[in-house]
Amino acid sequence: MFNTLQKWLPKIILSPSIFLVTVCIYGYVAWTGYLSLTHSRFLPNFKWAGLLQYNKLMENDRWVTSCINLLIFGVLFIIISIILGTLLAILLDQNIRQEGAIRTIYLYPMALSFIVTGTAWKWILNPGLGLEKMMHDWGWTSFEFNWLVSNDMSVYTLVIAAVWQSSGFVMAMFLAGLRGIDSSIVKAAQIDGASMPTIYWKIILPCLRPVFFSAVIITSHIAIKSFDLVTALTSGGPGYSSDLPALFMYTHAFTRGQMGLGAASAMMMLAGVLAILVPYLYSELRNREQ
Amino acid sequence: MTKFSPGRIFIYSILVLFCAIYLMPLLVMLLTSFKSLPDIRGGNLLSLPEVWVFDAWFKAWGTACTGVTCEGVKGYFWNSFKMAVPAVFISTLIGALNGYVIAHWRFKGSNLFFALMLFGCFIPFQVILLPMAATLGKFGLANTTTGLVFVHVVYGLVFTTLFFRNFYVSVPGELVKAAKLDGAGFFTIFFKIMLPISKPIIMVCIIWQFTQIWNDFLFGVVYSGSDSQPITVALNNLVNTSTGVKEYNVDMAAAIIAALPTLFVYVVAGKYFVRGLTAGSVKG
Amino acid sequence: MATLDIKQLYKRYGKSAPNTLEDINISINAGEFLILVGPSGCGKSTLMNMIAGLEEITSGDICIDGKVVNDVDPKDRDIAMVFQSYALYPNMTVRGNIEFALKIQKMDKDARETEITRVAQLLQIEHLLDRKPSQLSGGQQQRVSMGRALARQPKIYLFDEPLSNLDAKLRVEMRHEIKKLHQRLGTTIVYVTHDQIEAMTLADRIAVMKDGQLLQLGSPSEIYNDPADMFVAGFMGSPAMNFLHCSVEQSEHGLMGSLVCDQQQQHQIPLPEHLGKYAGKSLVVGIRPEQITHVNPYKKDKPLVTTLNLKLGVLEPTGPDTIALVTLNGKEISCRLDPDKPATMGENLNLMFDLSSAVYFDPNNEQRIR
């Protein structure tokens, strides 16, 4: 410990990472923040623009649409994933035979890239040859399903694909939570005469509050950074009816030469994440202190 | 707890129904990839191929058009490996060392650094895309596999450090003290004592990183050039290239090819995969 | 074998933090078995780590064989340590664990083998040498961790609560084992524990610590019979020493302390004359349970012995004794009764208080009155 090299080794080992994290995360955030306050277009331009880009962003129909879409997509995706995940976890927790196999099936989509998921669902939801044709073949001739090409409905196809991919993961989190609950609590409640639904509703689910919160954090994180899924499934279309902020940022910063606007939209996304994360961390820390 | 009560049957039927729902897209992809184009138009998603043909697979692998070139996805498939293997290896090694320091060689500021790192897990990557592009350009790493490896290492080490730190924190500090008294130094303790007991977390970390990096699209599409594109970018180009007839069978074959390595990992090491997911989810 | 001197040792974490250790002075003779005892958080483990070199010294000196080792690396201090959790390297076999330090010292293979054989025979673990720690029982792991320490034949052995993770029976066995080992090898040992029976049975000398301070350093019998203050008196012994707060009066029968039992009856106990200056004030009488017994006719007429008629509360038969609780001054007092003599709960019984070996404390600073 008093040997000089030994004393410095831990710091030497950690310092490249400290450097990278400081520069490539916090430094770059500041950099992007600065870019968002300039007139940058194809190339960085350091002419000060104040909040111009943010004003432009707020007046940009496509941005407003993408934010509304994110809200619809995010809320539905989170709620459906959590309800489905909880339900499946509770059902799977009833001494099911072949539980391992079933769990494997529910969770495998999580191993896929969102691009693969998008490609698959794009084909399944194909208005001419996909689900619609299958239903017609099976005798339901009036079945119509054209969400993928509908301005109003295309954003919901994102919800379908994202729920398919991620609900198994939420299930795994809740299942782990259920397994972590002391079984004597359940026994005590049974002895007290509570029925199984009551036990779940009044005792077990409240115990899973922390799991619930981390599931919300993770799924909302997935929603906000959703870029690959929307690119592969709808490309934001038709028009920009299913655009999401992540796609908006990419398009403006890298293909349309609107770097300042792209940077501003990235900062808004960061603000969105912080708006969810900070209250969560705050309550976590406060709980921990108590 | 009788096995065939109506309640049990209800539970099993719901579980089986959802199995079918989760498996359906994979089944559709497989069936479609073995059909010919007329077969696709004649049948439906879940109808069996009239004739099982492998043409779509060969085309997807060797000759399908992905944007400008028409050489299939094979090159991109190897690109992904060339990117993922070194990135996984480097980020795991750094993560292990970082975790070891943060858990057992604490110094003033190491906890602050850990907190900064944790917080870094949550930033949306859009917010670092532009500066990183500028940096890669400056060092001549734009559009190269090396550049992609660098990006994946930087943003992956946050997670790998977290994995290893959480694992090493559960290793009693007395073990390190005992080794110090036995005369072992920083690296001896790491290589002789810590690494040999880290097999499970190394597996978790490698699998998590491999899945993340293989499946990544954002960094791939922003930072890769035409000859360093990973498979996810190629797949997207292939599917969204609108020239001539849409060949759904080729799309599906390419999608399965892109999914195979991670699916393989999931099937052989699913235990570690799930552990990684749940460990990665309790960040914070 | 070596001497260990700890001189004016201080430990503070951070500049404004309170002292974790304050002015510790202990000097340990070669071959001596010293036990550090105290409640958790008293700083005994910190002191141990500082002796080992695992924590830095804020001020003061630690000397081994007369040489200051403050800035010497743990590995160069020639110290071995046995940990509460055993801290066996889980990836190595028992042999690998014992060998590890020897390999680092670059000892050649034959010498290592000889050393492993010697240690294994000494601790009777020859049949375990090729097993992994996870395949061993707690007691076996304990032996291996001692073997690892013995293999290096260091100058000083440190034991950090080595028996706390064992079950009661094994703990007694290992205690005897350690005692025998010490007598056979005659090594210098510093041993941390919070178990006062271990402290009493093993130690040549005991250091009682509290809140980072060394309260008393002495042989087990000094600590037990001649405690420096109320804390030491209360800490050693089970059941603990009884403390009776009483007011002191000078009467025609000599100096008396008055007590009130739960039936609101006033009782008097005789006090030694040297406490005369406390007349009119109050003090604390410390009396061990074995000094309150059935009436013993042989002691009856000795000075400082008195008999009080008190109502028995809960009785706890332990086998060799029966511990009875009686209420005096609103506090429960334990007495050690002969299990062969009749006693029932709620009964009024004559109890003999032998104050000749009682100790007295000042209620204000809890220090011993001598």
Side-chain angles (χ1 to χ4, degrees):
Chain A
M1 188 198 291
F2 303 101
N3 184 317
T4 326
L5 181 66
Q6 286 285 326
K7 199 171 173 180
W8 282 95
L9 259 177
K11 291 176 194 178
I12 294 170
I13 293 292
L14 212 52
S15 54
S17 301
I18 295 179
F19 174 78
L20 286 176
V21 167
T22 316
V23 172
C24 297
I25 295 181
Y26 294 92
Y28 284 4
V29 169
W31 188 341
T32 303
Y34 179 69
L35 276 178
S36 75
L37 301 172
T38 66
H39 284 287
S40 303
R41 292 182 66 85
F42 278 103
L43 290 171
N45 167 332
F46 297 109
K47 220 169 104 194
W48 188 251
L51 291 176
L52 177 74
Q53 304 286 11
Y54 291 90
N55 286 333
K56 276 204 319 214
L57 202 59
M58 294 307 147
E59 288 160 11
N60 186 318
D61 274 347
R62 185 169 170 183
W63 171 254
V64 174
T65 310
S66 73
C67 287
I68 294 171
N69 281 343
L70 177 61
L71 206 66
I72 298 173
F73 167 66
V75 168
L76 284 177
F77 165 59
I78 293 168
I79 291 178
I80 298 176
S81 293
I82 286 181
I83 292 178
L84 207 57
T86 319
L87 200 73
L88 291 177
I90 291 176
L91 292 182
L92 258 188
D93 198 30
Q94 310 299 321
N95 290 316
I96 296 301
R97 286 198 215 172
Q98 294 297 325
E99 185 206 306
I102 298 177
R103 222 174 37 206
T104 309
I105 291 173
Y106 289 173
L107 203 55
Y108 87 90
M110 202 62 194
L112 304 180
S113 163
F114 268 116
I115 297 289
V116 173
T117 304
T119 307
W121 282 95
K122 189 173 183 164
W123 167 229
I124 294 166
L125 301 177
N126 182 302
L129 294 166
L131 212 54
E132 199 173 292
K133 177 134 189 297
M134 189 169 83
M135 289 303 176
H136 292 180
D137 281 6
W138 287 358
W140 185 359
T141 44
S142 60
F143 182 80
E144 246 187 74
F145 196 83
N146 60 354
W147 286 9
L148 204 53
V149 291
S150 147
N151 277 335
D152 297 329
M153 303 307 282
S154 56
V155 64
Y156 298 100
T157 63
L158 298 176
V159 178
I160 296 175
V163 167
W164 176 77
Q165 168 138 9
S166 306
S167 52
F169 171 44
V170 178
M171 182 276 303
M173 288 178 69
F174 274 96
L175 195 58
L178 284 171
R179 296 280 148 87
I181 291 177
D182 182 359
S183 64
S184 55
I185 296 179
V186 178
K187 283 181 200 148
Q190 278 173 329
I191 290 166
D192 285 345
S195 66
M196 258 351 243
T198 318
I199 292 176
Y200 270 101
W201 192 244
K202 297 268 175 165
I203 296 164
I204 296 182
L205 288 183
C207 284
L208 293 179
R209 236 174 79 101
V211 182
F212 174 78
F213 279 117
S214 41
V216 170
I217 294 289
I218 312 266
T219 46
S220 57
H221 197 229
I222 293 177
I224 292 177
K225 30 172 238 189
S226 269
F227 166 67
D228 16 21
L229 181 65
V230 64
T231 309
L233 188 56
T234 68
S235 310
Y240 52 78
S241 61
S242 63
D243 204 5
L244 288 181
L247 181 61
F248 179 96
M249 186 272 160
Y250 171 75
T251 315
H252 286 79
F254 292 97
T255 61
R256 289 206 177 173
Q258 302 251 28
M259 200 180 279
L261 197 63
S265 64
M267 292 310 284
M268 293 303 290
M269 288 175 67
L270 178 65
V273 170
L274 292 183
I276 297 171
L277 197 58
V278 170
Y280 171 72
L281 288 181
Y282 178 75
S283 71
E284 277 284 288
L285 289 178
R286 216 181 45 178
N287 283 345
R288 220 167 278 177
E289 271 164 28
Q290 286 169 358
Chain B
M1 281 282 180
T2 46
K3 270 177 194 143
F4 296 104
S5 68
R8 299 293 286 175
I9 293 173
F10 177 71
I11 290 176
Y12 275 101
S13 29
I14 295 204
L15 289 174
V16 170
L17 175 72
F18 273 97
C19 283
I21 293 175
Y22 281 107
L23 282 174
M24 191 268 287
L26 189 65
L27 187 63
V28 167
M29 284 162 83
L30 275 169
L31 288 175
T32 309
S33 73
F34 289 112
K35 286 177 186 173
S36 61
L37 275 180
D39 203 354
I40 290 175
R41 279 187 222 100
N44 63 48
L45 290 179
L46 288 172
S47 64
L48 293 176
E50 300 273 319
V51 195
W52 293 73
V53 286
F54 292 86
D55 299 2
W57 285 80
F58 290 115
K59 185 160 187 196
W61 182 252
T63 58
C65 295
T66 52
V68 202
T69 56
C70 288
E71 290 168 352
V73 296
K74 61 172 185 295
Y76 307 105
F77 189 78
W78 299 122
N79 279 349
S80 272
F81 269 109
K82 277 185 244 166
M83 163 186 81
V85 171
V88 167
F89 179 75
I90 298 171
S91 59
T92 303
L93 184 71
I94 298 180
L97 279 167
N98 284 354
Y100 169 58
V101 170
I102 293 174
H104 289 290
W105 295 81
R106 273 175 221 141
F107 55 84
K108 215 174 165 188
S110 64
N111 273 336
L112 174 74
F113 166 67
F114 183 63
L116 283 178
M117 222 170 190
L118 267 186
F119 207 69
C121 287
F122 288 101
I123 63 152
F125 288 137
Q126 278 73 18
V127 86
I128 50 87
L129 282 181
L130 285 165
M132 185 49 103
T135 312
L136 289 179
K138 193 120 195 151
F139 290 103
L141 292 173
N143 302 335
T144 64
T145 303
T146 319
L148 276 176
V149 170
F150 174 74
V151 176
H152 281 299
V153 166
V154 170
Y155 298 107
L157 69 83
V158 181
F159 292 94
T160 57
T161 302
L162 181 72
F163 284 147
F164 278 99
R165 181 263 180 195
N166 287 352
F167 181 79
Y168 287 143
V169 158
S170 69
V171 173
E174 294 189 340
L175 212 57
V176 176
K177 285 186 190 170
K180 279 186 194 169
L181 285 173
D182 277 348
F186 182 85
F187 282 114
T188 315
I189 299 176
F190 181 66
F191 286 110
K192 288 275 170 66
I193 294 165
M194 287 301 186
L195 267 195
I197 59 175
S198 312
K199 270 176 210 135
I201 197 67
I202 293 175
M203 285 297 287
V204 167
C205 192
I206 287 181
I207 287 168
W208 167 269
Q209 278 298 89
F210 181 76
T211 320
Q212 291 298 305
I213 295 174
W214 184 275
N215 288 342
D216 164 72
F217 176 70
L218 181 64
F219 291 150
V221 77
V222 175
Y223 299 131
S224 70
S226 51
D227 54 356
S228 61
Q229 271 173 2
I231 182 110
T232 46
V233 178
L235 174 63
N236 186 55
N237 288 346
L238 180 120
V239 173
N240 288 326
T241 305
S242 40
T243 43
V245 194
K246 199 83 199 88
E247 294 176 298
Y248 295 107
N249 49 358
V250 177
D251 290 359
M252 291 306 121
I256 296 173
I257 291 172
L260 270 183
T262 48
L263 271 184
F264 174 76
V265 164
Y266 176 65
V267 170
V268 297
K271 182 176 78 171
Y272 294 108
F273 179 78
V274 177
R275 216 188 284 172
L277 280 179
T278 26
S281 67
V282 277
K283 42 188 174 187
Chain C
M1 263 204 263
T3 61
L4 175 67
D5 294 289
I6 298 163
K7 296 176 188 161
Q8 296 170 350
L9 195 71
Y10 282 79
K11 177 72 187 174
R12 220 175 9 250
Y13 295 97
K15 284 204 179 66
S16 55
N19 288 328
T20 309
L21 288 178
E22 205 172 296
D23 196 17
I24 305 291
N25 291 286
I26 302 175
S27 78
I28 301 160
N29 303 324
E32 189 175 14
F33 199 132
L34 179 93
I35 289 202
L36 297 174
V37 70
S40 56
C42 69
K44 57 190 192 294
S45 289
T46 308
L47 178 56
M48 185 74 115
N49 283 335
M50 286 165 78
I51 297 171
L54 296 166
E55 289 205 46
E56 279 181 70
I57 291 168
T58 305
S59 73
D61 286 324
I62 293 178
C63 309
I64 296 176
D65 272 342
K67 259 191 293 191
V68 178
V69 294
N70 294 6
D71 293 327
V72 177
D73 251 17
K75 64 176 191 310
D76 300 325
R77 291 191 183 191
D78 205 5
I79 277 178
M81 192 158 170
V82 177
F83 295 90
Q84 181 179 1
S85 65
Y86 319 134
L88 297 178
Y89 309 128
N91 53 314
M92 301 176 196
T93 59
V94 169
R95 183 189 303 277
N97 267 281
I98 297 175
E99 217 176 10
F100 186 65
L102 307 178
K103 271 187 175 168
I104 289 177
Q105 290 173 0
K106 305 224 159 50
M107 187 186 275
D108 67 57
K109 192 159 186 332
D110 292 343
R112 288 203 312 256
E113 271 310 314
T114 323
E115 186 64 10
I116 292 169
T117 316
R118 179 187 74 91
V119 169
Q121 276 173 353
L122 197 62
L123 291 165
Q124 296 148 30
I125 49 173
E126 296 112 310
H127 58 297
L128 304 175
L129 282 177
D130 294 312
R131 298 218 200 141
K132 289 277 180 73
S134 57
Q135 299 165 308
L136 304 179
S137 68
Q140 289 170 333
Q141 293 191 27
Q142 172 60 51
R143 278 169 192 274
V144 173
S145 75
M146 280 173 35
R148 188 172 64 181
L150 289 173
R152 295 171 32 211
Q153 299 190 314
K155 287 182 184 159
I156 296 172
Y157 291 88
L158 304 179
F159 286 77
D160 190 0
E161 308 206 14
L163 305 183
S164 331
N165 285 1
L166 298 177
D167 63 48
K169 186 164 171 282
L170 215 49
R171 200 180 309 169
V172 176
E173 269 176 43
M174 286 310 293
R175 206 166 71 202
H176 295 161
E177 200 92 8
I178 292 175
K179 183 121 190 174
K180 274 189 258 170
L181 216 55
H182 177 245
Q183 277 163 357
R184 177 135 41 122
L185 303 175
T187 45
T188 310
I189 295 181
V190 181
Y191 187 113
V192 163
T193 183
H194 61 256
D195 178 343
Q196 37 105 6
I197 297 183
E198 261 172 50
M200 293 295 291
T201 52
L202 287 174
D204 292 329
R205 277 193 301 161
I206 297 177
V208 185
M209 295 181 63
K210 186 198 173 203
D211 297 337
Q213 286 174 325
L214 177 61
L215 297 183
Q216 191 174 2
L217 177 64
S219 69
S221 77
E222 277 168 6
I223 299 281
Y224 190 76
N225 298 319
D226 195 10
D229 63 14
M230 274 176 78
F231 178 81
V232 176
F235 191 77
M236 301 303 271
S238 171
M241 179 184 273
N242 300 305
F243 294 120
L244 301 170
H245 290 255
C246 50
S247 41
V248 182
E249 290 150 29
Q250 191 71 52
S251 73
E252 67 250 51
H253 305 293
L255 207 58
M256 290 300 222
S258 60
L259 295 165
V260 184
C261 72
D262 59 345
Q263 286 137 326
Q264 301 307 322
Q265 207 176 337
Q266 190 89 13
H267 292 284
Q268 301 276 319
I269 51 171
L271 296 175
E273 287 307 323
H274 72 85
L275 297 171
K277 59 176 184 273
Y278 280 88
K281 289 191 257 181
S282 66
L283 54 66
V284 177
V285 179
I287 180 164
R288 296 215 176 259
E290 58 265 32
Q291 291 152 5
I292 311 175
T293 56
H294 283 107
V295 176
N296 178 344
Y298 300 107
K299 278 190 181 175
K300 212 169 180 179
D301 297 321
K302 284 170 80 178
L304 294 172
V305 172
T306 185
T307 302
L308 306 181
N309 188 268
L310 295 168
K311 188 176 156 205
L312 296 181
V314 178
L315 297 175
E316 293 176 334
T318 63
D321 311 291
T322 294
I323 306 298
L325 298 179
V326 298
T327 307
L328 269 180
N329 278 358
K331 261 172 66 181
E332 288 196 317
I333 302 297
S334 40
C335 333
R336 213 180 268 271
L337 302 183
D338 185 340
D340 296 334
K341 294 189 179 156
T344 44
M345 190 174 159
E347 162 193 20
N348 272 339
L349 191 69
N350 282 330
L351 292 172
M352 180 174 277
F353 284 63
D354 179 358
L355 288 134
S356 58
S357 45
V359 285
Y360 306 93
F361 304 97
D362 188 315
N364 298 317
N365 58 14
E366 307 201 335
Q367 291 299 311
R368 179 80 179 275
I369 305 164
R370 290 184 188 273

